[in-house]
Amino acid sequence: MNKYWSAGVAFCIACATSIAAGAAELPVKKVILYKHGIGFFERGGEIPAGESARLDFKAGEMNDVLKSLVVGDATGNTVAGVRYDSSQPLTNKLREFPFVLREKAPLVDLLDQMKGAEIELKLVAGNVVKGRILGARVLANQKADTDVESLSVLTAEGAMASFDLSAVASLNLQNPELQRQLAEYLSALNVARSREQKSVYIDSSRDAARSLRVAYTIPMPVWKSSYRLVLDSGAQKKTMLEGWAIVDNTTNEDWTKVDLSLVSGRPISFISKLYEPKLVQREVAELAEEKARGPVVYRGVAGGIAGGVPGGMGGFMDQRAKINAAPPPAPMAQSMMAEISEVNVDTATREAGELFEYKFGQPITVKRNESAMLPFVQQEIAGRKLLIYTQGSGSEHPLNSVELTNSTGKTLDGGPLSVYDGGIYAGEALVNTFKAGDKRLLSYAEDLGTRVVERGKDGPRNVRSMTAARGVVTTRFVQQLTKTYEIRNVDKKAKTLVVEHPLVEGRTLQTPKPAEKAVEKTATHYRFEVKLSGAENESLQVEEQEVMEETQSLSSWKSEDFVGLSTNGALSPAARQFFAEISKLRQAQADADEKIKQLNQQIQESGADVERLRRNLSSLNNVTGQQERVQRYAAELAKLDEQISGLRAEASAETKRRDDLRRQVQTKLESANF
């Protein structure tokens, strides 16, 4: 039984292999790597007559392949079609077969599912039995304490017989269709074990030899740039730039002497799910007469008319990069850091639309799962040493820097940059991609020989203008801001210091003028140059004006907020007139408040006198001989009552006038327009 099973598996695998037997692979000829995670590949080769071209990919690459595949044939033949391994789940694929290979199930489990299939048995004894499968099962052998796999067959002679599969040397299915299905079943299982491997087959329309070229894009690691900048290189003290490209071959095959190009730029790319089958959920629609009618349940009569109610149913560039033999260690270190690498830079460059391409002149070899460093630029570049101090950086020391102007005539891709100065390693920087003729500032170390101290002074806020609409006033203020940079040149060397001063929206630079200091402006900073000679101290003073706006309701202003506005020359005549009128009304209102206060005070004092006189009269009425005084007090009391009545009338009139003034002010403020 075990022998048969092994032979059967081998037979089925051979059948599965034969399905792709007529497929030839195309080697990689050209690779273009981009900066947005995509690689362009071109393959080519001769395809014999009767064979299809086969391309192998990872499952995650198939969406991009199906989106970008281009096929060409130099022989004039045409493509009949492109086939590829489906992404259908294994369980869905296996569901199409009329049998199931259950995990760890005996052979009889499979044979029992093939009842009626024609079969040929070659027994160990040498005789051959042909017939049809009746069934198969496992029988318990109690004597030997083992299980027996038994196959029941209806022989060609019409006899029914059972065979112990351990006595069967081989078993052959006589139905070619059943053989094919079993081979495909095993092939699907085999492919499922390597889900990352997906094949694309390109078929020809004619059975003839072809010279095929295929191009496509797949996800690839971004190629990276790494630079060496040597200041004061050689006898002429030139600034030299050396650039290396780092590429990674993460594919499943070697790149052997391929045509390699690197492109600087970021084209738009995206993933479109073309590989996975898309299923649309459709509505179920039936004609009314096709539906079975449900039962009708009639309710019992409960008075009135009874009705019926229907019921429901509830290695790269041939190793050309070399380093010469070195003299003794110390001089070698000095020499190696003072000069650039000895490499053969063989790249052709060109503008490709908005992109820039580096094409290596020699074939490149990179083994699979390996990476390579390829020199792509080595030439003189315009450079100037500077110190850069950025306001608010948190350090009093500026940074050793270099101003690079791209004089190479090429686009320089972004990446890390190591700086060598004076024959030693000086620091590192990061450079963004910049085009030919563009300029970059790069900082690589802190200069401890220079210190910068900031001192700031803000002037008062002065009103520049004021406008009002429907009682809402908008005030524009102007403020003078002064920042002084005190620079101490500790080591007293001649230097050029660039001070980066923040560019704040709403502020206008007053001094220094561009004519006084070399100045340039970025999106975030002004840059001022200060020449440091042997003197110990220098300073830079930056003056700016800031314009601010405030919006308020005039009704919320206090009286003191209006003081002085009627004579403010920064306001328009209409505004000054408005505030003069408001000030006059507010003053009249204040005068009325003061007068009301005084009248109430007089009423209060007169009321106290009235109370005193009434107490005196009450006392004198009980004393004989005081009639004269009683009459005099009575006359005074009558006079005071009359006086109080007059004061109250006057206070009432003044209160009415004050309230009227208040309403006038409020109405005027709410309707202010100037």
Side-chain angles (χ1 to χ4, degrees):
M1 185 272 286
N2 294 335
K3 181 178 179 182
Y4 158 74
W5 185 236
S6 300
V9 172
F11 166 75
C12 291
I13 292 176
C15 290
T17 306
S18 67
I19 295 174
E25 296 184 1
L26 294 175
V28 176
K29 299 294 185 182
K30 183 176 183 178
V31 178
I32 303 177
L33 299 179
Y34 291 83
K35 300 295 289 187
H36 66 307
I38 286 294
F40 173 87
F41 287 76
E42 189 174 302
R43 296 173 178 266
E46 303 298 323
I47 306 299
E51 293 191 9
S52 297
R54 192 187 81 198
L55 311 175
D56 293 329
F57 301 100
K58 299 175 183 176
E61 299 171 344
M62 288 297 293
N63 284 320
D64 286 291
V65 171
L66 297 178
K67 182 174 62 177
S68 60
L69 184 66
V70 178
V71 182
D73 194 332
T75 61
N77 203 346
T78 57
V79 175
V82 176
R83 298 176 289 116
Y84 56 90
D85 294 335
S86 173
S87 68
Q88 184 181 12
L90 179 64
T91 53
N92 291 354
K93 289 183 180 180
L94 299 184
R95 212 176 279 134
E96 300 172 357
F97 294 93
F99 49 82
V100 177
L101 283 176
R102 297 181 179 89
E103 188 176 357
K104 297 182 180 180
L107 177 60
V108 293
D109 182 71
L110 173 64
L111 294 175
D112 192 60
Q113 297 176 60
M114 296 183 177
K115 292 182 178 74
E118 294 183 2
I119 195 170
E120 180 186 83
L121 301 177
K122 290 184 180 181
L123 304 180
V124 175
N127 51 328
V128 177
V129 178
K130 292 185 178 181
R132 292 181 181 273
I133 298 174
L134 286 173
R137 59 178 177 165
V138 177
L139 300 175
N141 187 342
Q142 296 180 353
K143 293 182 179 180
D145 196 22
T146 59
D147 293 336
V148 176
E149 294 184 63
S150 176
L151 174 65
S152 299
V153 178
L154 177 65
T155 66
E157 292 78 16
M160 292 185 289
S162 295
F163 299 91
D164 184 349
L165 289 184
S166 62
V168 176
S170 67
L171 187 156
N172 294 313
L173 299 173
Q174 300 298 294
N175 187 336
E177 177 63 19
L178 196 56
Q179 288 182 353
R180 183 191 64 79
Q181 289 177 339
L182 184 57
E184 288 185 358
Y185 193 105
L186 294 175
S187 177
L189 290 175
N190 185 52
V191 170
R193 279 193 293 270
S194 56
R195 292 182 179 179
E196 284 298 309
Q197 182 75 18
K198 302 295 179 182
S199 296
V200 175
Y201 304 93
I202 302 173
D203 300 326
S204 173
S205 60
R206 292 189 293 114
D207 189 7
R210 294 178 290 162
S211 178
L212 199 63
R213 292 178 60 214
V214 177
Y216 55 85
T217 63
I218 59 173
M220 284 295 294
V222 173
W223 71 276
K224 303 172 284 290
S225 301
S226 175
Y227 296 95
R228 324 288 181 259
L229 182 69
V230 182
L231 305 175
D232 302 331
S233 174
Q236 298 181 354
K237 302 295 183 183
K238 296 180 179 179
T239 300
M240 298 295 294
L241 181 70
E242 174 182 298
W244 295 77
I246 299 174
V247 299
D248 305 292
N249 180 3
T250 57
T251 65
N252 290 328
E253 60 184 308
D254 298 339
W255 299 345
T256 304
K257 294 185 178 181
V258 301
D259 183 5
L260 179 64
S261 296
L262 306 176
V263 174
S264 177
R266 291 181 176 84
I268 294 175
S269 183
F270 52 87
I271 295 175
S272 185
K273 292 187 176 181
L274 303 176
Y275 183 48
E276 295 83 1
K278 294 183 179 180
L279 302 177
V280 177
Q281 186 66 37
R282 296 175 297 154
E283 294 184 3
V284 177
E286 296 179 356
L287 294 176
E289 58 268 22
E290 293 177 348
K291 295 182 180 180
R293 184 172 179 177
V296 177
V297 179
Y298 295 95
R299 297 180 179 178
V301 177
I305 300 176
V309 180
M313 302 289 292
F316 66 96
M317 291 194 72
D318 301 329
Q319 305 298 324
R320 290 177 179 267
K322 308 178 288 190
I323 299 178
N324 289 341
M332 182 199 71
Q334 178 73 12
S335 173
M336 286 296 296
M337 290 190 178
E339 301 297 334
I340 59 176
S341 304
E342 295 182 10
V343 294
N344 178 24
V345 179
D346 185 8
T347 57
T349 60
R350 71 183 182 96
E351 296 280 351
E354 296 302 318
L355 309 177
F356 193 84
E357 180 184 24
Y358 291 91
K359 185 178 184 301
F360 292 92
Q362 298 293 328
I364 304 297
T365 296
V366 184
K367 300 293 185 181
R368 65 176 178 172
N369 296 323
E370 289 187 0
S371 301
M373 285 183 65
L374 309 173
F376 68 95
V377 63
Q378 187 183 80
Q379 62 190 94
E380 183 181 354
I381 189 170
R384 182 169 67 116
K385 293 175 67 174
L386 299 167
L387 298 178
I388 299 178
Y389 177 81
T390 303
Q391 190 271 332
S393 62
S395 173
E396 63 179 2
H397 297 292
L399 298 176
N400 284 322
S401 310
V402 60
E403 179 189 78
L404 285 185
T405 301
N406 188 356
S407 57
T408 64
K410 306 170 184 177
T411 295
L412 296 177
D413 192 69
L417 180 144
S418 297
V419 179
Y420 297 88
D421 189 13
I424 63 171
Y425 166 82
E428 297 175 359
L430 277 175
V431 58
N432 292 323
T433 300
F434 64 122
K435 296 280 188 178
D438 200 1
K439 184 171 62 174
R440 289 288 186 275
L441 292 179
L442 307 176
S443 298
Y444 55 87
E446 195 171 49
D447 177 33
L448 301 179
T450 308
R451 289 201 294 268
V452 181
V453 177
E454 303 175 15
R455 303 195 186 279
K457 180 182 178 182
D458 297 344
R461 294 200 313 172
N462 298 315
V463 176
R464 170 173 285 184
S465 66
M466 190 177 290
T467 57
R470 298 178 183 177
V472 177
V473 64
T474 301
T475 307
R476 299 188 73 199
F477 301 94
V478 62
Q479 187 176 25
Q480 196 76 15
L481 307 172
T482 303
K483 177 74 74 174
T484 302
Y485 298 91
E486 297 178 356
I487 306 160
R488 186 179 180 192
N489 189 0
V490 179
D491 51 21
K492 299 182 181 180
K493 295 179 181 178
K495 307 169 186 176
T496 299
L497 173 67
V498 172
V499 176
E500 283 196 324
H501 182 80
L503 193 159
V504 181
E505 185 177 359
R507 294 184 183 179
T508 304
L509 182 66
Q510 303 296 306
T511 61
K513 303 293 185 185
E516 299 171 4
K517 300 279 185 182
V519 63
E520 59 185 20
K521 186 167 64 172
T522 70
T524 57
H525 288 85
Y526 294 106
R527 287 178 180 155
F528 304 103
E529 279 194 14
V530 181
K531 298 293 184 182
L532 304 181
S533 60
E536 183 176 351
N537 296 320
E538 294 282 351
S539 66
L540 170 70
Q541 184 169 294
V542 180
E543 294 182 355
E544 297 173 287
Q545 274 191 355
E546 182 174 16
V547 177
M548 297 160 282
E549 282 190 357
E550 286 184 359
T551 300
Q552 294 176 308
S553 171
L554 283 171
S555 300
S556 65
W557 281 24
K558 299 178 181 178
S559 297
E560 55 266 25
D561 295 333
F562 294 92
V563 176
L565 292 179
S566 61
T567 58
N568 192 322
L571 304 185
S572 65
R576 291 199 300 271
Q577 181 181 353
F578 172 83
F579 287 118
E581 294 173 358
I582 291 293
S583 296
K584 185 177 180 180
L585 290 172
R586 279 290 178 91
Q587 185 58 51
Q589 182 181 331
D591 292 343
D593 283 332
E594 181 61 29
K595 188 171 183 180
I596 292 171
K597 181 179 178 182
Q598 293 174 359
L599 290 172
N600 287 332
Q601 181 66 29
Q602 292 178 24
I603 292 172
Q604 186 177 1
E605 292 174 354
S606 298
D609 291 341
V610 168
E611 289 299 321
R612 178 178 54 79
L613 288 174
R614 284 179 177 169
R615 286 196 300 271
N616 291 337
L617 283 174
S618 178
S619 300
L620 291 175
N621 282 332
N622 299 322
V623 179
T624 58
Q626 298 295 325
Q627 292 302 320
E628 183 180 352
R629 292 181 65 188
V630 168
Q631 291 178 0
R632 188 171 72 249
Y633 285 165
E636 289 179 9
L637 183 60
K639 184 178 179 181
L640 283 173
D641 285 339
E642 184 180 356
Q643 182 179 350
I644 289 173
S645 296
L647 290 172
R648 285 175 176 167
E650 188 177 356
S652 177
E654 198 64 29
T655 299
K656 183 178 179 181
R657 188 173 77 88
R658 182 204 59 189
D659 293 343
D660 185 56
L661 289 169
R662 184 178 293 169
R663 283 191 293 271
Q664 291 183 49
V665 169
Q666 191 65 25
T667 301
K668 200 169 186 64
L669 291 177
E670 291 176 353
S671 61
N673 282 282
F674 54 79

